[in-house]
Amino acid sequence: MGWVMPLFGPNIKKMKKQRDIHGLIKELENKKYEVRIEVVEALKDLRNVEGLSKALKNDMPGVCFAACEALKEIGDPEGLSLAAQFLIRMLKYGSNEDKIEAITRICGHINTLFLTCWLGSNSIPEILKGVIKSKLPLELVKDSLLLETSDENVHPVVRWYALIALVELGDRSSDILIELIELGDKLVTFYDREPEPDEEGFSLVMRTLFAISIRDETLRALSHFKDNPIATSAVLSALEGQILAGRSKGEQRFEDKHILSALSALGDPSTRERLEYLATYGNTEVRRLARIALDLFGKATYDEIKARMERDKS
């Protein structure tokens, strides 16, 4: 009697219960993607770094990314180092799209609008496979991210996102701050404009959305630089329409909740009087936003302040 294929697939739960690491690793070559992902989850629950390191070399990218996220979540120094090496290779050798995905996974921060505009809606589910919950330690990836920001041959959007990642991971150096402001402004100006007749790329609507996303993420990053007068000055300049304004350059933007959220998060005493004026003499919407900003002034993060502004419409 010849070999007969089993009616059912491998019992991954049983292997996990029996701590059959060898059997689980063998199933990383299973033809079914779903089985491989289940194996990665089992190895994560067993905190088996060796098995997950093998999954990083899988021929299915989604399995590699799931293993990378598992190693980050476990937080073992060896595993974090392996995850960092995997993502750094993507940064070093990958396409622009690969670099963006690597940076997203390095810093644990997902800007869905930005990724949709840059990579296209069909790419987003792949990037979001395995919820990105954790960041890598700055010291493991700082040099590689800095290399991306300093290389003039790297696409400006990749360089900008690498700067965002450095800030997300805790880099508060003046060089990073200044470059972020300058590059963010250049990108917003470039994308928020009428394209040339023969210019390839996004539609005008997509370009505008892209510019908005870059502007808002830049403001969010600036809000991390508490007690830094350069960051405060940049946000005030955005309020006056001098930077990060695109086609709205020169127009005051008192109704922009992203700008007011960044000002409030920075909590610089020099900006309180400005907010108090807006809270008293602005139009109805400006007064509402400014009062919330004052209420949370220096006490909440950008995201918390913006969420409150969106929630409290009364």
Side-chain angles (χ1 to χ4, degrees), residues 9-292:
N11 192 331
I12 303 301
K13 290 182 179 178
K14 183 177 179 181
M15 290 183 183
K16 172 184 166 183
K17 187 175 181 180
Q18 295 176 344
R19 305 186 71 85
D20 181 5
I21 302 299
H22 177 75
L24 288 170
I25 291 175
K26 187 175 180 181
E27 290 303 329
L28 285 171
E29 302 304 318
N30 194 289
K31 292 182 178 180
K32 292 185 177 181
Y33 172 79
E34 294 78 8
V35 172
R36 298 190 190 193
I37 292 296
E38 189 180 357
V39 169
V40 170
E41 286 297 310
L43 291 169
K44 180 183 75 173
D45 292 342
L46 294 171
R47 302 180 67 84
N48 187 269
V49 171
E50 180 186 359
L52 290 171
S53 71
K54 295 182 184 299
L56 282 177
K57 302 173 183 176
N58 204 270
D59 58 2
M60 292 184 177
V63 176
C64 298
F65 293 135
C68 180
E69 294 306 314
L71 288 167
K72 286 162 58 185
E73 192 171 336
I74 290 171
D76 175 85
E78 180 186 357
L80 289 174
S81 179
L82 290 168
Q85 291 170 28
F86 169 74
L87 294 173
I88 287 170
R89 281 196 296 273
M90 286 184 67
L91 271 181
K92 189 173 182 180
Y93 302 114
S95 64
N96 287 331
E97 289 77 9
D98 290 338
K99 289 174 182 282
I100 291 291
E101 179 156 4
I103 293 169
T104 300
R105 293 182 181 277
I106 282 171
C107 68
H109 176 62
I110 302 171
N111 178 353
T112 305
L113 175 58
F114 167 78
L115 292 174
T116 301
C117 292
W118 176 250
L119 299 175
S121 58
N122 292 334
S123 301
I124 300 305
E126 188 67 30
I127 283 185
L128 299 182
K129 272 180 183 174
V131 179
I132 302 174
K133 299 178 181 178
S134 53
K135 307 175 182 181
L136 284 172
L138 178 61
E139 63 269 17
L140 292 180
V141 293
K142 183 174 181 177
D143 289 345
S144 296
L145 289 173
L146 285 174
L147 188 61
E148 294 299 310
T149 67
S150 61
D151 187 346
E152 293 295 329
N153 294 318
V154 172
H155 194 289
V157 172
V158 176
R159 290 170 52 205
W160 169 81
Y161 205 54
L163 290 166
I164 293 288
L166 285 164
V167 174
E168 287 289 332
L169 296 178
D171 192 324
R172 302 292 183 265
S173 61
S174 295
D175 289 345
I176 294 298
L177 172 58
I178 292 169
E179 190 174 354
L180 176 64
I181 294 168
E182 292 178 352
L183 186 54
D185 185 42
K186 286 180 182 177
L187 287 172
V188 171
T189 300
F190 176 79
Y191 285 107
D192 194 24
R193 63 177 174 81
E194 294 285 348
E196 299 296 330
D198 60 345
E199 187 175 352
E200 297 181 358
F202 303 137
S203 67
L204 181 58
V205 173
M206 290 298 285
R207 290 172 66 94
T208 300
L209 290 173
F210 199 45
I212 290 171
S213 186
I214 290 173
R215 181 204 65 181
D216 294 346
E217 283 301 301
T218 301
L219 287 165
R220 182 180 186 275
L222 291 176
S223 74
H224 290 299
F225 288 84
K226 286 186 183 250
D227 302 319
N228 190 310
I230 297 175
T232 300
S233 177
V235 178
L236 285 172
S237 294
L239 186 70
E240 297 293 341
Q242 296 173 15
I243 65 170
L244 301 174
R247 284 175 287 173
S248 300
K249 189 158 184 152
E251 299 176 12
Q252 294 179 327
R253 297 158 66 202
F254 299 140
E255 294 186 38
D256 192 313
K257 63 188 174 189
H258 300 277
I259 295 175
L260 295 182
S261 296
L263 274 183
S264 180
L266 286 168
D268 190 304
S270 67
T271 64
R272 179 180 284 276
E273 188 174 350
R274 174 76 66 95
L275 290 173
E276 288 173 345
Y277 181 87
L278 295 176
T280 305
Y281 299 107
N283 63 35
T284 302
E285 179 65 4
V286 171
R287 289 200 306 272
R288 181 185 78 81
L289 296 174
R291 286 170 182 170
I292 292 173

